[in-house]
Amino acid sequence: MGTGFSIFLRKTGTGLLGSSSPPEKPGLGDLPESCISSIFMYLDPPEICKLVQMNRAFRAASLADFVWESKLPSNYKFLVDKVLDHENLPKKEIYARLCQPNCFDAGTKEVWLDKSCGQVFLSISSKALRITGIDDRRYWSHIPTEESRFHTVAYLQQIWWVEALGELEFEFPPGSYSLYFRLQLGKTCPKRFGRRVCNVDQVHGWHIKPVRFQLSTSDGQHALSECYLHQQGSWVHYHVGDFVVIDNHKPMKIKFSMVQIDCTHTKGGLSLDSVLMYPSKFREKLI
């Protein structure tokens, strides 16, 4: 009997004098997993990644599919079909893979998500564009460089008629997007003593007439801008215009161009890297 009574005292925390030890206070680890997952739906991915390091309950709650499906863009199934090999992945794994650059169309295009907000970004290589004279080495050539995400750019030595056309059919999430041409006046050369080198000897003709940039969409949107190219030796994002996506379940066809066809003078020394499509709110990052 004495043994049983002492066990009772240990379980209840009551001593012979009626004293009791204070009960343990509940901690974050005692929250129900479903409750933690519901909270995670209102947090950004970087915040979730910090919290999962606190304890096992948070880590387990972060694996719930509905948490990461709320972070994925509305067109994520289209992206999975287009760039991922496996369809039956956990939503967290899908988000992680889509945040990496994913190539499609024979490696001439890349799409990725911003890690902090899940917005869609897209880049199109110069090799995916229809460039007048690109097959004639007297005018254009493809040169390798580490300064392009596609590891190659189109370089113009000299020509009278500059025209680069492109198009894309893609299913974007609803929102406003901006389109840019990434250009450089000058030719990037191999580094010397670890320093960047850009040869501008062939740059000429861009100060006489402006370059015309245009875009149009399959639902009737149009944008046009003109700009003199004058900044030498560094990459510049030239803003073509903006377009708005309303229906996220219908692919949109976008046509875009860069033209300088005044044949009174030659133009040369231009590097054309890519065309980028970003959510408009990220425009300041490119300027």
Side-chain angles (χ1 to χ4, degrees):
M1 179 178 176
T3 303
F5 184 65
S6 63
I7 293 174
F8 172 78
L9 291 178
R10 288 199 297 270
K11 287 185 177 180
T12 60
T14 305
L16 292 175
L17 299 178
S19 62
S20 61
S21 58
E24 293 184 3
K25 294 182 179 180
L28 291 174
D30 298 315
L31 287 171
E33 189 176 303
S34 59
C35 178
I36 300 173
S37 297
S38 297
I39 295 173
F40 281 172
M41 290 182 64
Y42 297 93
L43 302 179
D44 293 330
E47 295 173 322
I48 296 175
C49 292
K50 290 179 181 178
L51 288 174
V52 298
Q53 301 176 28
M54 295 184 65
N55 55 52
R56 293 180 180 179
F58 279 33
R59 188 157 47 250
S62 71
L63 301 177
D65 268 356
F66 69 85
V67 171
W68 292 98
E69 189 163 14
S70 68
K71 313 304 175 189
L72 287 164
S74 58
N75 72 329
Y76 83 90
K77 292 182 179 179
F78 168 83
L79 296 175
V80 169
D81 292 338
K82 199 164 191 69
V83 300
L84 296 185
D85 296 331
H86 306 285
E87 296 183 6
N88 298 320
L89 292 171
K91 297 297 188 294
K92 183 178 181 180
E93 182 67 19
I94 290 176
Y95 189 90
R97 294 196 183 192
L98 290 179
C99 285
Q100 302 298 319
N102 293 277
C103 298
F104 63 100
D105 287 358
T108 61
K109 301 179 180 71
E110 282 189 359
V111 63
W112 67 96
L113 304 183
D114 181 83
K115 293 180 180 180
S116 62
C117 63
Q119 299 251 355
V120 174
F121 293 71
L122 196 142
S123 182
I124 301 172
S125 168
S126 59
K127 287 190 173 182
L129 307 180
R130 300 191 306 277
I131 302 175
T132 301
I134 191 65
D135 296 323
D136 193 328
R137 297 280 302 216
R138 294 175 299 173
Y139 307 127
W140 289 89
S141 60
H142 289 288
I143 60 173
T145 175
E146 297 178 356
E147 296 185 358
S148 169
R149 65 171 53 249
F150 299 101
H151 307 293
T152 182
V153 300
Y155 178 70
L156 172 64
Q157 298 177 91
Q158 180 172 287
I159 203 169
W160 296 87
W161 182 292
V162 177
E163 185 176 42
L165 312 174
E167 62 180 58
L168 172 75
E169 188 169 6
F170 199 81
E171 188 178 299
F172 288 92
S176 176
Y177 297 85
S178 299
L179 189 145
Y180 305 85
F181 273 81
R182 186 173 187 256
L183 309 173
Q184 176 183 253
L185 290 182
K187 180 180 181 181
T188 301
C189 303
K191 291 183 177 180
R192 296 177 184 172
F193 305 106
R195 300 184 63 180
R196 182 179 186 271
V197 178
C198 183
N199 189 324
V200 298
D201 292 346
Q202 293 182 314
V203 175
H204 68 280
W206 302 106
H207 65 289
I208 301 174
K209 293 284 185 178
V211 174
R212 173 173 290 191
F213 300 98
Q214 294 188 78
L215 76 82
S216 63
T217 66
S218 53
D219 63 353
Q221 300 179 65
H222 297 272
L224 182 150
S225 63
E226 292 187 343
C227 182
Y228 288 93
L229 309 187
H230 55 80
Q231 187 171 333
Q232 299 185 11
S234 60
W235 292 102
V236 179
H237 294 90
Y238 290 91
H239 183 221
V240 179
D242 300 337
F243 61 94
V244 177
V245 177
I246 298 175
D247 187 353
N248 64 306
H249 298 297
K250 183 179 180 181
M252 174 180 284
K253 181 174 285 188
I254 304 165
K255 295 183 178 181
F256 44 89
S257 64
M258 165 189 162
V259 177
Q260 215 293 15
I261 55 177
D262 185 341
C263 293
T264 60
H265 62 285
T266 61
K267 283 77 66 174
L270 175 71
S271 294
L272 197 171
D273 173 32
S274 58
V275 173
L276 299 104
M277 299 182 192
Y278 277 29
S280 297
K281 69 177 184 179
F282 287 87
R283 181 177 179 180
E284 292 183 359
K285 291 187 176 182
L286 296 178
I287 298 177

